[in-house]
Amino acid sequence: MSEIDFKNLPDQEWRQRLSPEEYFVLRQAGTEPPHVGEYTDTTTEGVYACRACGAEIFRSTEKFESHCGWPSFFDPAATDAVYEKVDTSHGMVRREVLCANCDSHLGHVFEGEGYNTPTDLRYCINSLSMTLKPAE
């Protein structure tokens, strides 16, 4: 079986693979409402994978409680798991976080907010953009 080239999947294929809510977040850079995501308050140990392609993007060991309304991480699972680009939507400048494997929108990263984490970064990630694979 050949590997799927997620970066070149046509829009119609993404619409078939994802629910309308997942498509809105992952493919249209949407944001789920705060405090409603399934992973916002979870403390389950495991690996978070991109809901669109299954690539490992974050680990529970880097998740922390920021009280911002979305799951927060201080570092991605690997240096090449995600990438960032400038987002100037909504009248502000932010750093958008995308899956390096499929270019799907995951959330945004913020710096210098004073959280007691090793990186001083907060990867604010939509629950709809991930699936949690619990540790065995």
Side-chain angles (χ1 to χ4, degrees), residues 4 6 9-24 26-27 51-52:
I4 298 171
F6 287 103
L9 278 183
D11 188 62
Q12 181 179 348
E13 178 77 15
W14 283 119
R15 288 184 184 276
Q16 290 174 353
R17 290 175 166 271
L18 303 169
S19 72
E21 296 82 9
E22 293 165 348
Y23 182 85
F24 170 68
L26 289 156
R27 305 308 301 169
R51 193 175 297 248

Side-chain angles (χ1 to χ4, degrees), residues 23-124:
Y23 182 85
F24 170 68
V25 170
L26 289 156
R27 305 308 301 169
Q28 296 181 311
T31 301
E32 65 190 346
H35 304 287
V36 300
E38 81 181 288
Y39 303 125
T40 302
D41 297 318
T42 187
T43 57
T44 302
E45 292 183 17
V47 171
Y48 291 87
C50 174
R51 193 175 297 248
C53 71
E56 183 177 318
I57 49 177
F58 293 97
R59 295 186 185 122
S60 61
T61 51
E62 282 73 43
K63 188 173 189 285
F64 71 100
E65 183 53 61
S66 68
H67 305 284
C68 72
W70 294 272
S72 296
F73 301 86
F74 61 80
D75 212 12
T79 56
D80 60 352
V82 302
Y83 70 96
E84 301 169 16
K85 72 177 189 179
V86 175
D87 174 6
T88 57
S89 65
H90 304 292
M92 61 184 109
V93 178
R94 301 179 289 174
R95 290 173 19 210
E96 181 182 7
V97 179
L98 298 106
C99 174
N101 192 56
C102 70
D103 295 331
S104 288
H105 172 80
L106 304 173
H108 291 88
V109 62
F110 302 94
E111 184 175 13
E113 296 178 316
Y115 289 103
N116 186 20
T117 63
T119 63
D120 199 26
L121 297 173
R122 176 175 58 92
Y123 288 83
C124 184

